[in-house]
Amino acid sequence: MSGNSDQLQIIHGVCAHDCPDTCSWKAEVSNGQAVRLYGDPQHPFTRGVLCAKVSHYLERVYHPERLQVPLRRTGRKGAGQFEEISWDAALAEIANRWRKQIEEFGAETILPFSSAGNQGLIQHSSLDMRLFGLMGCSRLERNICGNVAHEGLCATQGCGTGINPEDLVHSRLIVLWGTNTLVTNSHLWPVIQESRRHGGRVIVVDPIRTRTASAADQHLAVRPGTDTVLMLAMMHIIIRDGLTDEDYIQRYSEGFAELSDHVRQYTPELAATVTGLSVEQIEAFAREYATVRPAVLRPLIGLEHHPNGAMMFRTLACLPVITGAWRYRGGGLARSTGAFQFSALNTAGLLKPETWQPDCRSLNMRDLGRILHLEADKGAVRSLLVYNSNPAVTMPNQNLVRRGLQREDLFTVVHDLFLTETARFADLVLPATSQLEHLDIVPSWGHHYLSLNRPAIAPCGQSVCNTELFRRLAAAMGRDETWLYESDEQLLRTALDSGHPMLEGITLESLLEHGYLHLNHAPDWMPFAAGGFATPSGRARLFASAGSESGAALPPVPGEIPVRPPGRLQLVTGKTLHFLNSSYSHQEPHRRRAGQLTVQMHEEDAAERELQHGDSVILQNEQGSVRAICSVSPHVQRGVISIPFGGLLDASGESVGVNILTPEWPTDWGGGSGFYACFVEVSAEK
Ligand SMILES: Nc1nc2c(c(=O)[nH]1)N[C@H]1C(S)=C(S)[C@@H](COP(=O)(O)OP(=O)(O)OC[C@H]3O[C@@H](n4cnc5c(=O)[nH]c(N)nc54)[C@H](O)[C@@H]3O)O[C@H]1N2
Ligand SMILES: Nc1nc2c(c(=O)[nH]1)N[C@H]1C(S)=C(S)[C@@H](COP(=O)(O)OP(=O)(O)OC[C@H]3O[C@@H](n4cnc5c(=O)[nH]c(N)nc54)[C@H](O)[C@@H]3O)O[C@H]1N2
Ligand code: SF4
Ligand SMILES: [Mo]
């Protein structure tokens, strides 16, 4: 062995990107430098593989454009011109501005804005919530991702729980419903493949022929947003043909009679006209779903980005109840495991909600553009602190967001690893650590392991992690509450100290020893094999009386058929392989790997507009326009176009966000965003 390798240390960590896979990794460190990063071969879900993005994570950590020092704006907002300043000067400026502002306008005019750019337990939410809660800042409804699905499921099940995704090995029919597993959740694929080796079949329901749809046994190219009607027609067929599980329905559900009455009108013929599928496809799908055991429905996020998002999930959750699919290991519904993991953790201890100022207003992240345009008498936001998010790309109606960020009287601070589109508008930019540089535990929303991330290297340059930023801000604001200064280790110990049986034996020490641990539950755990739904009656609600605590805004039975404005094409903007939302789009060579902004279009839609493959086109609606290259593609259906979301470059080399075109549609639950209900005109670029 060489002298160098004698000093090689191997540090266990875990990816904290906003991704269901939460991969375990190992970092090889030599003389304080990370020299290699690879997926943990022992981890049953990671299986030694990192994805197209994170297998290049060291490029990100050591990227020449990574932020190293605090910066102050010298040019106009958005121009990206900055000078270096010290941390002390930056913190003093923030404290000074905030103090004056609180005195003159009140603390609610400060809006901390964050998402799940780091989804680690304490780097996502801990000291920030304590500090801003105590200060009485505006609260942010962080519900652009996951909550709509959760609320929709709650309307039926009383909770969002589903089966352990690893149990898909036992499934014999896997329906990937509005999820692009191979791109967004790639570590589930080997589990699916194992099921297929034992005779399992995979059906993808997606308006786009994604990579996943191409790799499946069958693709059902439903019209966007019409899935509820497909689900109702499936129930119509299942009930009509006597394929229900009467015993399960009787024991564990309520409202079946009303549901049966209701679905009678949803004939396969009606569903065919609405969804664009054929009657034969719908009949065969319903029968296969009801007769193959175990059958699992696997949705992720695609369905919830529609104005009827919650209803789609609520209706989906009725299917495994009427067929009794929950009885079988590998059957039922498998969605985010996030809420399940968090139910075991001591989040109240971590966030200390009892110390927050009461009655502070809550603002929905989806509405950032509008929020930044509130009038003074409506409590105009005057300071914005952005971390864990890049809203100038990821929130809808981006032109409005960017116009808001341009306001001269808005004081914006951004904490990030790169000079993102949002950071370019900031007055102060603060450098953030990468996942190799801080301590955390990462609960997963794609499996049942809880994983520890140990720092492998010292922070790059003067970067600090989120928790350290909030300790520094507390000090700059002159706070003397000791719990605003707890160390990362103390915070993690608090979170693990819940007394919950699923955390038995899971301590910081045992995590340090093993790296990751499976939540404690019986290996053959099944959430609803014998009922036990989280509703007041313990039964699944197939018919929800108005005003039931969850999904209160939803009508008692699913039903409405979404209407599409005539003449326009529906733009679906799902995730892309080389970026993680907008992350990695600020780095070469990732940008190059992702390619140019391309819009996929059906050949008849292209012909109607006299467009050819390779033409430059303009996509346009009342919110703005985006330039893209036209790709005439067999992967999209008539009336639908698709552009991957996340900061791609157009022909002129500008970073363009498709969210210029997406509206701030709320969903039927109220929160979330109907991103995919986006209708545009497309024409040749003159
Ligand atoms: N490589 C990569 N991985 C990621 C991410 C990334 O940006 N890049 N992002 C991460 C994040 S934040 C999330 S939330 C997850 C999301 O993971 P997914 O939910 O799998 O991803 P999406 O692309 O949001 O949507 C999935 C699919 O829904 C389809 N869809 C849209 N509308 C409808 C509809 O009306 N009906 C049906 N049946 N399908 C519809 C879209 O065409 C898309 O293929 O992925 C995570 N993983
Ligand atoms: N059109 C369209 N829009 C969408 C979606 C879509 O499918 N289509 N998907 C939506 C979904 S599901 C989601 S989740 C959102 C995602 O929206 P965002 O959360 O805004 O996603 P990112 O673009 O990944 O931004 C995360 C930022 O956090 C930074 N970051 C990472 N780690 C840290 C850290 O430790 N500290 C700090 N301070 N910063 C850190 C990253 O560098 C990055 O700039 O986008 C939504 N927007
Ligand atoms: S982004 Fe997702 S798939 Fe990639 S390494 Fe992280 S957790 Fe794994
Ligand atoms: Mo997301």
Side-chain angles (χ1 to χ4, degrees), residues 209-262:
R209 192 166 179 85
T210 59
R211 276 172 190 248
T212 311
S214 303
D217 298 296
Q218 193 181 348
H219 172 209
L220 296 173
V222 67
R223 281 198 191 115
T226 66
D227 303 61
T228 344
V229 178
L230 173 58
M231 296 164 196
L232 290 163
M234 287 171 76
M235 292 191 241
H236 172 107
I237 295 162
I238 290 166
I239 296 170
R240 181 198 68 196
D241 294 356
L243 301 174
T244 51
D245 181 335
E246 290 299 327
D247 180 61
Y248 193 92
I249 292 170
Q250 260 198 3
R251 284 177 197 238
Y252 307 129
S253 77
E254 56 195 24
F256 180 69
E258 288 94 334
L259 181 78
S260 301
D261 273 354
H262 181 63

Side-chain angles (χ1 to χ4, degrees), residues 107 132-137 139 353-360 479:
F132 301 129
L134 183 67
M135 285 171 61
C137 300
R139 294 188 192 133
E354 72 282 3
T355 64
W356 300 355
Q357 300 273 347
D359 307 323
C360 286
R479 305 299 321 199

Side-chain angles (χ1 to χ4, degrees), residues 76 135 166 264 387 390 397 444:
R76 67 175 169 79
M135 285 171 61
E166 282 190 286
R264 209 161 289 140
Y387 55 101
N390 182 16
N397 202 352
S444 170

Side-chain angles (χ1 to χ4, degrees), residues 16 68 107 113 120 133-134 158 227 249 273 317-318 324 337 463-464 498 535 559 598 613-614 627 641:
Q68 303 275 342
F113 189 102
L134 183 67
D227 303 61
I249 292 170
T273 60
C318 294
T337 55
S463 61
V464 303
S498 66
T535 56
T598 299
H613 190 78
R627 297 166 65 202
I641 50 176

